[in-house]
Amino acid sequence: MVAVFDPEGHAIGAAPRGEVYARGLWHGSAGVLVRSTDRTRVYVHRRTDTKSVFPGVHDCLAGGVIDAGEEPAQTARRELAEELGISRVDLTPFGQTRWEGRSGDALVRCHLFGFEAFYDGPIRHQPSEVADGWWWTEDVLRDHLADPSWPFVPDSRALLDEWRARRAGRARTTRG
């Protein structure tokens, strides 16, 4: 069962995953941006072609939908362990946003919660969800994201805007 939200971001109930996507219900999702401990690289992966939402495209957030009764941080930890085999890391929230769009013919409406983790250990892909993965510098990722034709999960693009804004704000504070 997936937590169902209202348009403002409050949990209001639960529904089966299939119903959430079939009816375009607002729901929540949590994702973790994995960065190297030296803060120079980001882990990027390609989703499997069998994923029901955004199949075969790139992403740099390990994440998924918030289950009924679950908090976003719990979802983030669960998904990070499931998708990339990473556990026992600190998660720092970096922002949230809402996104509304399409995956194929399905309307997707989601409240997104972003977290950041620093990690250099082994990565173990969940074969049903992650087809391939690699480390990129932030500059290479930024260049790819600047290309709207690069196949990348669109709601992750929106959440990464929050991440970049937070970093830019911190940089301005440091300079000012």
Side-chain angles (χ1 to χ4, degrees), residues 112-170:
L112 306 157
F113 300 85
F115 297 86
E116 187 173 54
F118 296 95
Y119 181 78
D120 285 322
I123 294 185
R124 181 182 31 82
H125 297 152
Q126 182 178 29
S128 63
E129 298 207 31
V130 180
D132 196 10
W134 53 90
W135 290 97
W136 269 350
T137 65
E138 291 181 30
D139 290 341
V140 171
L141 177 60
R142 184 186 60 243
D143 291 347
H144 277 79
L145 288 170
D147 177 1
S149 69
W150 184 55
F152 192 83
V153 176
D155 59 349
S156 289
R157 278 186 196 265
L159 198 50
L160 287 173
D161 288 345
E162 292 293 317
W163 178 68
R164 286 192 297 268
R166 178 185 64 95
R167 291 173 50 112
R170 183 179 291 163

Side-chain angles (χ1 to χ4, degrees), residues 4 7 9 16 27 41 50 82 110 123 131 164:
V4 174
H27 62 285
R41 297 172 295 137
T50 57
E82 287 175 8
C110 190
I123 294 185
R164 286 192 297 268

Side-chain angles (χ1 to χ4, degrees), residues 6-86:
D6 65 17
E8 288 74 43
H10 304 100
I12 59 170
R17 180 186 302 261
E19 182 181 340
V20 167
Y21 290 124
R23 294 181 45 207
L25 299 176
W26 281 101
H27 62 285
S29 178
V32 181
L33 179 70
V34 178
R35 297 179 59 207
S36 59
T37 57
D38 66 4
R39 292 167 161 69
T40 62
R41 297 172 295 137
V42 173
Y43 195 76
V44 179
H45 66 275
R46 189 175 62 76
R47 297 163 61 93
T48 60
D49 294 333
T50 57
K51 294 284 289 180
S52 60
V53 179
F54 309 122
V57 300
H58 299 92
D59 202 349
C60 62
L61 297 177
V65 297
I66 298 172
D67 288 344
E70 203 172 41
E71 292 295 321
Q74 291 173 293
T75 302
R77 282 194 185 289
R78 174 176 52 80
E79 292 289 341
L80 183 61
E82 287 175 8
E83 290 184 8
L84 301 181
I86 299 172

